[in-house]
Amino acid sequence: MQQLSVLQKLEILADAAKYDASCASSGTAKRNSAGGKGIGSTEGMGICHAYAPDGRCISLLKVLLTNHCVFDCHYCINRKSSNVRRARFTPREVADLTIAFYKRNYIEGLFLSSGIVKSSDHTMEQLIETARILREEHEFRGYIHLKTIPEADAGLVHRAGLYADRVSINVELPTEAGLTRLAPDKNAGQIEGAMGGLRLAIAEAKDASKRFRHAPKFAPAGQSTQMIVVADTANDTEIIGKASGLYTRHRLRRVYYSAFSPIPDASAVLPLKRPPLIREHRLYQSDWLMRFYGFAPGEVQQAAEADGMLPLDIDPKLAWALKFRERFPVDVNKAPREMLLRVPGLGVKAIDKLIASRRHRTLRLDDVARLTVSIARVRPFIVTLDWRPTLLTDRVDLRALVAPKSEQLELFAA
Ligand code: SF4
């Protein structure tokens, strides 16, 4: 086999990693390098992110240890039956690359995943070894996100959490049937079992850190997961239900949604139809409704159409408001924050500003207009000192009136 240079390997393995969306680096505790010991600390300047136009995080060196894999997940370009160029880094090569890139200021940390070579345990050991070299030999205090392998020994998964800021296990598909069909080597119970183990270890480490100053950190930025949105495996209602269950059961920091995008040499088992990217966006919006807008999962699911899919032409918050018109209009001068959060077109920041302003004066429509992208879209749902919609919420053409024409309505307009 031809020997590849590190650069050639990087070309192959960085490209192979681009399909994983779960790489945001938010929420980590800072490791400090006080006393001039160690490098890469984010203390004092925070971790900043850069996102590519398609929403993927680019501030980390995002790479696979190898794209060889003994599994055959149909949606994955690295599956064993895929005809792609293969490469494999050693843990030391990845550690050296990370440090070299870090010193050039290209990156702030590492997102490391891997195909499964030899066995899950062996692969997990290689991932851990990379993180160990970085932390112990290079004294690297920057951000490390390790993708962990649910089939690996629980002790190894635990060791990964001692080096990484964030750990993640991909749940892959929202339903067990979808997983069985598209990732036959994976097991839903094993995936959730490993997530449960991480949740416990994270909680125990947090608890220990409150009692012992030098208690070892364990994945201080928590765990996340990624769900692949494939056209015919689950509808949005099922995806929302699965995500909300994962947040509750495993205290996940984030669920990332990744609309399946066509891969070279795609498996014949995959549906021909690719889901529109806007569907991924609507799922992220529904996720925000649950995490920041106080919507119960069942309420977000109510925003879906009869086929269980969220509308693509309007955001889920507007879809919910149009279905539950009897809850509107909301008086911006009197309504509690929970109800203001339901108003389409008003974001969390705008609402906090409105609440702060109304302590001093009675708000007019102009006051709201200054805080939103389009007051025309908010108007039917609110009451102000000088504005009350007359039967607007009863109009049959309300949806057409408030739906964005070509531009998408800003759910989080602030
Ligand atoms: S385990 Fe499945 S998803 Fe992961 S690299 Fe292998 S084939 Fe791809």
Side-chain angles (χ1 to χ4, degrees), residues 30-103:
K30 316 288 194 297
R31 292 168 195 273
N32 84 65
S33 51
K37 202 157 183 283
I39 57 170
S41 166
T42 55
E43 184 78 63
M45 56 183 173
I47 292 176
C48 27
H49 317 113
Y51 290 96
D54 65 352
R56 316 268 187 240
C57 176
I58 53 166
S59 61
L60 310 172
L61 170 60
K62 184 177 174 184
V63 74
L64 299 187
L65 205 48
T66 178
N67 64 343
H68 287 277
C69 193
V70 294
F71 281 15
D72 208 28
C73 309
H74 292 286
Y75 47 81
C76 179
I77 192 168
N78 305 316
R79 69 190 189 281
K80 74 175 170 202
S81 59
S82 168
N83 185 24
V84 287
R85 276 180 88 200
R86 307 277 177 176
R88 185 172 174 177
F89 275 130
T90 64
R92 193 159 296 280
E93 282 173 330
V94 175
D96 289 349
L97 265 177
T98 307
I99 294 299
F101 280 17
Y102 181 81
K103 285 185 174 169

Side-chain angles (χ1 to χ4, degrees), residues 20 22 73 75 147-148 150-151 168-180 182-183 186-195 223-229 239 242-247 249-250 252 254-258:
D20 200 313
S22 56
C73 309
Y75 47 81
K147 185 69 67 175
T148 48
E151 297 79 17
S168 59
I169 294 175
N170 282 357
V171 71
E172 308 291 10
L173 291 147
T175 63
E176 208 169 325
L179 195 73
T180 310
L182 296 180
K186 298 201 172 187
N187 177 293
Q190 220 163 15
I191 293 172
E192 286 236 16
M195 283 178 167
Q223 65 167 323
S224 59
T225 194
Q226 171 177 273
M227 237 190 279
I228 298 169
V229 180
I239 293 174
K242 179 73 182 185
S244 110
L246 291 173
Y247 279 124
R249 286 194 294 282
H250 306 306
L252 297 190
R254 286 293 304 269
V255 174
Y256 293 90
Y257 305 94
S258 180

